[in-house]
């Protein structure tokens, strides 16, 4: 049986931010690993029906993760997450943007700053992601692209992976 886990998606149009709070039924180290290791990210970091493929990953301050989300029809959508700060199992900050096949950021679509924190709550982990956009227009563009639905679906996939991984620990 799936536990009732917190999911909040809060839009603040005065600060141009999205705050995503999601609880996971797993320990913080495992949830951190799923966010920071390419072999685990490739198993969950895309909405259902899509797949993820890492092109390059260098998880360190100044490094980046270049990946593509692949639609069921085979269309690839490139993204790049440039890591600014890393506090192991506590959090990280990064700049997120869309990119071409070489990893070069595209200027046509918005970039954002991600501040991701991991907190213990009883036997679960709460991940809070604050996504800050440069302008209200950028924020509205991302919302219109389906960010809330996409994140909800993506985080459900992480739930499924965590259930599989925690069963393997027992």
């Amino acid at each position: 049986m799936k536990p009732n886990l917190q999911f909040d998606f809060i839009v603040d149009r005065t600060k141009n931010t999205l705050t995503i709070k999601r609880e996971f039924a797993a320990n913080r180290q495992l949830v951190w690993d799923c966010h920071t290791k390419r072999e685990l990210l490739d198993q969950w970091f895309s909405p259902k029906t899509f797949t993820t493929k890492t092109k390059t990953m260098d998880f360190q301050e100044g490094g980046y993760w270049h990946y593509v989300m692949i639609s069921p029809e085979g269309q690839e959508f490139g993204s790049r997450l440039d890591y600014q700060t890393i506090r192991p199992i506590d959090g990280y900050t990064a700049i997120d943007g869309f990119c071409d096949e070489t990893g070069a950021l595209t200027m046509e679509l918005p970039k954002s700053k991600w501040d991701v924190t991991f907190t213990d709550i009883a036997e679960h982990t709460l991940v809070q992601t604050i996504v800050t956009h440069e302008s209200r227009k950028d924020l509205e563009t991302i919302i219109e692209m389906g960010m809330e639905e996409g994140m909800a679906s993506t985080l459900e996939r992480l739930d499924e992976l965590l259930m599989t991984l925690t069963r393997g620990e027992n």
Side-chain angles (χ1 to χ4, degrees), residues 13-154:
R13 287 179 169 83
T14 60
K15 295 181 182 176
N16 300 322
T17 62
L18 301 172
T19 300
I20 303 150
K21 294 180 182 180
R22 184 63 157 77
E23 179 183 353
F24 297 97
N27 70 58
R28 187 163 38 130
Q29 182 66 60
L30 183 58
V31 176
W32 170 264
D33 288 348
C34 285
H35 278 80
T36 61
K37 294 183 176 181
R38 71 184 291 164
E39 65 275 8
L40 295 171
L41 281 161
D42 282 354
Q43 295 180 58
W44 71 272
F45 198 82
S46 61
K48 292 182 178 187
T49 74
F50 281 67
T51 57
T52 301
K53 180 180 175 191
T54 294
K55 300 281 190 170
T56 304
M57 184 162 191
D58 182 15
F59 184 70
Q60 65 176 338
E61 292 181 4
Y64 66 91
W65 177 37
H66 172 207
Y67 63 97
V68 293
M69 289 186 188
I70 306 165
S71 74
E73 300 77 32
Q75 187 175 7
E76 294 187 358
F77 302 92
S79 291
R80 180 174 162 151
L81 199 62
D82 287 82
Y83 300 106
Q84 296 179 309
T85 62
I86 296 173
R87 300 170 320 280
I89 85 164
D90 291 330
Y92 63 86
T93 60
I95 301 297
D96 176 64
F98 297 92
C99 68
D100 66 17
E101 62 279 348
T102 69
L105 291 173
T106 57
M107 297 302 129
E108 298 81 41
L109 292 169
K111 289 187 305 191
S112 58
K113 180 176 182 181
W114 287 41
D115 185 353
V116 185
T117 57
F118 300 76
T119 308
D120 293 322
I121 50 171
E123 291 134 26
H124 292 177
T125 301
L126 179 68
V127 178
Q128 175 177 279
T129 305
I130 300 173
V131 182
T132 304
H133 293 274
E134 293 176 8
S135 69
R136 177 136 177 215
K137 179 179 183 270
D138 288 353
L139 173 67
E140 296 298 339
T141 297
I142 292 300
I143 291 170
E144 288 169 17
M145 291 173 72
M147 178 74 158
E148 183 172 6
E149 299 81 5
M151 285 302 292
S153 178
T154 298

